[in-house]
Amino acid sequence: MRLEVKRVSGRAEAAIRGGFTMTRSPGHGFFITVAGLVCLLILASCVTKEVSRPSPRPAKVALVLGSGAARGFAHIGVLKVLESNRVPLHVIVGSSAGSFIGSLYAYGYNAFQLQKMSFSLEKGDLIDLTVPDNGFIKGEKLEEYVNRMLDNTPLERLRIPFHAVATDIQKGEEVAFGRGNTGTAVRASCAIPGVFRPVKIDGRIYVDGGVVSPVPVEAARRLGADVVIAVDISSGISKRAPESTIETILQSVDIMHSRISGAQLAKADVVIRPAVADIAASDFGRRHDAVLEGEKAANAELPRIMALMERLRQEGRIGQ
């Protein structure tokens, strides 16, 4: 019996031997069979893909500095505590006295420089009395002082974003100035009705921001603040009897501020309340006491503030 041997192709030979075989094709080296490729694809499909997660949105911490005339020096004490504990501030919003202190800090003066400046400040540096005509004080000196100390830097170019809150007296609405002449905006924010002359900006008439927002927390929220630290220097009424027309007006404004500030303060994350009720709104002589009270009140709220900052760090929303 004769056995017939037939030559089979490389592909057929692979099929006969089956499975994972290497076959030699004329003119080509070894290559992986279709079965092997299928297995590799199956294995590749089982590899877990790394899912990229978006970075956490950076948090915005706002400091809101309230109205209070000479009591506003307490804001410097608060800033000293926040600065020494490296609390980040991404925006500052100020009303009346708060806009004055806030603008200087936003420009770049540190809290200790502000304290030194405040102790050398005289009423004559800011107050320009005039014949009463819609106000006893023109406000030009205040505007000039701010612009001089800020080297005429406009609001939009300050180191920390800053907004000065004033009241549009023709509409009864709050306006937060974030662009333009810083001195003019602060002057408008500080224009206490009956004491300072109203300020005209772009055809509108503005008076003190405290008329509608003694502590403008809502303005800070509209500006995107995630955390609001508010400083309320309007709480408490001085028991001292006013001795002049200006003192009577200022004390009346204090009463108004203390009554209308509650709604906005409820929307703040932390409220710092310096004990300055016994400091008259016109009493520049007690600025040192006001600074000390600001420090005390800020230190009392510091644990809450630092807890908030730590939470934001854990979330990756502020730097270490």
Side-chain angles (χ1 to χ4, degrees):
M1 181 175 176
R2 186 176 175 183
L3 180 63
E4 183 178 0
V5 179
K6 294 184 179 180
R7 181 180 298 276
V8 297
S9 66
R11 184 174 299 175
E13 184 179 352
I16 293 169
R17 293 180 180 176
F20 287 84
T21 63
M22 300 299 292
T23 179
R24 185 181 301 274
S25 177
H28 300 280
F30 287 97
F31 61 89
I32 300 175
T33 64
V34 173
L37 287 173
V38 170
C39 290
L40 286 174
L41 289 172
I42 293 172
L43 288 171
S45 67
C46 294
V47 176
T48 303
K49 293 183 179 179
E50 183 178 349
V51 179
S52 60
R53 295 182 180 178
S55 300
R57 181 176 60 83
K60 182 182 285 189
V61 180
L63 177 65
V64 176
L65 304 177
S67 305
R71 295 172 175 175
F73 291 109
H75 292 317
I76 296 174
V78 172
L79 285 166
K80 286 175 68 178
V81 173
L82 298 181
E83 187 178 285
S84 62
N85 286 277
R86 298 183 180 180
V87 176
L89 299 176
H90 305 107
V91 62
I92 298 174
V93 182
S95 183
S96 196
S99 74
F100 176 69
I101 300 298
S103 67
L104 296 171
Y105 192 76
Y107 171 71
Y109 292 107
N110 64 44
F112 290 90
Q113 288 173 318
L114 290 182
Q115 178 176 268
K116 184 177 179 181
M117 290 163 58
S118 72
F119 292 164
S120 62
L121 192 65
E122 299 294 336
K123 276 189 178 181
D125 295 328
L126 305 177
I127 305 301
D128 43 5
L129 292 171
T130 185
V131 175
D133 178 18
N134 211 5
F136 295 88
I137 301 170
K138 290 187 287 185
E140 293 173 0
K141 275 193 172 184
L142 171 62
E143 178 177 338
E144 291 168 359
Y145 178 87
V146 170
N147 283 333
R148 183 171 67 254
M149 299 307 293
L150 272 56
D151 196 25
N152 293 306
T153 303
L155 287 161
E156 65 271 19
R157 296 174 114 186
L158 296 176
R159 183 177 63 88
I160 300 173
F162 169 73
H163 288 73
V165 172
T167 302
D168 184 330
I169 200 168
Q170 294 162 285
K171 292 184 177 181
E173 295 177 352
E174 169 196 278
V175 176
F177 291 103
R179 299 183 63 84
N181 188 300
T182 305
T184 304
V186 170
R187 177 185 175 186
S189 183
C190 293
I192 300 169
V195 178
F196 282 81
R197 287 180 177 174
V199 180
K200 191 172 185 178
I201 302 174
D202 295 331
R204 307 297 302 177
I205 306 299
Y206 297 95
V207 296
D208 185 86
V211 171
V212 291
S213 295
V215 193
V217 173
E218 290 178 357
R221 293 294 188 193
R222 288 196 301 271
L223 291 167
D226 299 290
V227 173
V228 174
I229 302 169
V231 186
D232 176 24
I233 53 175
S234 66
S235 58
I237 306 301
S238 174
K239 293 180 172 58
R240 195 181 77 170
E243 298 177 355
S244 67
T245 301
I246 290 180
E247 285 188 2
T248 300
I249 294 172
L250 290 176
Q251 191 156 324
S252 299
V253 169
D254 281 346
I255 295 170
M256 178 188 71
H257 287 174
S258 67
R259 295 292 184 267
I260 68 174
S261 60
Q264 294 211 38
L265 288 172
K267 299 175 183 179
D269 296 281
V270 178
V271 179
I272 298 172
R273 290 186 170 93
V276 289
D278 63 331
I279 299 176
S282 61
D283 192 352
F284 273 61
R286 295 190 61 191
R287 66 195 82 176
H288 181 70
D289 293 335
V291 172
L292 288 176
E293 291 301 331
E295 289 185 52
K296 289 179 187 176
N299 277 314
E301 294 297 330
L302 191 59
R304 291 184 62 198
I305 294 171
M306 299 310 291
L308 282 169
M309 297 305 107
E310 181 58 28
R311 189 196 76 196
L312 293 174
R313 289 189 183 94
Q314 292 293 329
E315 294 173 356
R317 300 184 64 195
I318 61 173
Q320 296 297 320

